């Protein structure tokens, strides 16, 4: 029988089910929206990202979306989660999604763990403690490759908690920034010029 390939906008049924389970169990609403997940995946594929890092992995919802994109680009993701029980859950979800070959889970404080990661990154997704966004931007910008992307989550619905970060990404001549809202939470997208 003739088998048609799945259109790339769809997600394998088992992963879709897992994503829905993570969402349903997400009492603290730490996961990004589905629209934001799809946007992350698209940005990874569009930018052909190879070395991605996520700061604030929560239960792995966004990491699964990025992992799906990185499977297409041949890239890898390191996701860092501060809360140890949550990091264990995150690792379990990655395993269940069949993405363990693509996504590495690090349990710990991102300010301590990032300096231990070797090399440069071409894609950074930040979804940690909002008041630390500027510190993380300052830490990651020198390690971002030319034309690398830095994305920050909740820049619309929690903008009052990250004024310094929003000022930095709009004023810094090293990056080109826009803010989009695939969902009401908002996402900043900054491209490192060179």
């Amino acid at each position: 029988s003739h088998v048609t390939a799945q259109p790339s906008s769809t997600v394998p049924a088992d992963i879709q089910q897992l994503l829905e389970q993570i969402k349903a169990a997400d009492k603290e609403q730490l996961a990004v929206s589905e629209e934001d997940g799809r946007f992350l995946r698209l940005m990874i594929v569009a930018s052909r990202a190879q070395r991605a890092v996520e700061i604030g992995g929560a239960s792995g919802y966004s990491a699964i979306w990025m992992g799906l994109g990185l499977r297409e680009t041949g890239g890898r993701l390191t996701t860092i989660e501060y809360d140890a029980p949550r990091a264990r859950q995150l690792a379990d979800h990655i395993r269940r999604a069949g993405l363990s070959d693509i996504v590495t889970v690090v349990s710990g404080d991102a300010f301590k763990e990032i300096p231990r990661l070797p090399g440069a990154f071409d894609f950074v997704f930040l979804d940690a403690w909002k008041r630390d966004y500027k510190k993380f931007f300052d830490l990651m910008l020198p390690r971002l490759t030319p034309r690398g992307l830095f994305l920050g989550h909740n820049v619309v619905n929690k903008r009052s908690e990250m004024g310094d970060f929003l000022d930095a990404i709009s004023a810094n001549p090293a990056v080109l920034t826009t803010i989009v809202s695939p969902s009401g939470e908002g996402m900043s997208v900054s491209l490192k010029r060179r």
Side-chain angles (χ1 to χ4, degrees), residues 98-165:
L99 292 167
S100 300
D101 56 326
I102 293 168
V103 182
T104 302
V105 178
V106 175
S107 177
D109 177 348
F111 287 113
K112 293 195 179 82
E113 298 300 334
I114 288 165
R116 293 177 186 156
L117 300 176
F121 300 96
D122 53 15
F123 195 96
V124 177
F125 178 54
L126 175 58
D127 194 11
W129 181 240
K130 307 310 161 196
R131 297 188 194 283
D132 285 340
Y133 271 33
K134 168 77 164 55
K135 282 186 214 152
F136 279 121
F137 177 69
D138 292 342
L139 183 64
M140 295 310 294
L141 187 62
R143 301 193 56 187
L144 207 56
T145 57
R147 309 200 61 71
L149 293 174
F150 185 104
L151 283 75
H153 197 240
N154 302 108
V155 298
V156 171
N157 69 336
K158 295 188 179 173
R159 69 163 82 76
S160 64
E161 298 174 37
M162 55 176 83
D164 55 348
F165 168 71

Side-chain angles (χ1 to χ4, degrees), residues 28-140:
E28 295 168 73
Q29 297 189 306
L30 295 169
V32 305
S33 66
E34 182 177 341
E35 295 86 352
D36 289 347
R38 290 183 182 279
F39 180 75
L40 284 168
R41 180 190 188 181
L42 184 144
M43 291 304 286
I44 292 239
V45 175
S47 67
R48 301 190 179 93
Q50 291 298 302
R51 295 204 65 215
V53 65
E54 176 179 46
I55 304 168
S59 300
Y61 187 84
S62 47
I64 291 171
W65 282 108
M66 287 188 278
L68 291 170
L70 290 160
R71 175 166 279 160
E72 290 186 53
T73 67
R76 299 280 179 274
L77 170 69
T78 301
T79 176
I80 308 168
E81 172 50 42
Y82 183 79
D83 182 81
R86 211 177 281 139
R88 283 193 291 276
Q89 199 178 41
L90 165 54
D92 181 54
H93 289 152
I94 293 302
R95 219 169 17 250
R96 285 170 58 195
L99 292 167
S100 300
D101 56 326
I102 293 168
V103 182
T104 302
V105 178
V106 175
S107 177
D109 177 348
F111 287 113
K112 293 195 179 82
E113 298 300 334
I114 288 165
R116 293 177 186 156
L117 300 176
F121 300 96
D122 53 15
F123 195 96
V124 177
F125 178 54
L126 175 58
D127 194 11
W129 181 240
K130 307 310 161 196
R131 297 188 194 283
D132 285 340
Y133 271 33
K134 168 77 164 55
K135 282 186 214 152
F136 279 121
F137 177 69
D138 292 342
L139 183 64
M140 295 310 294

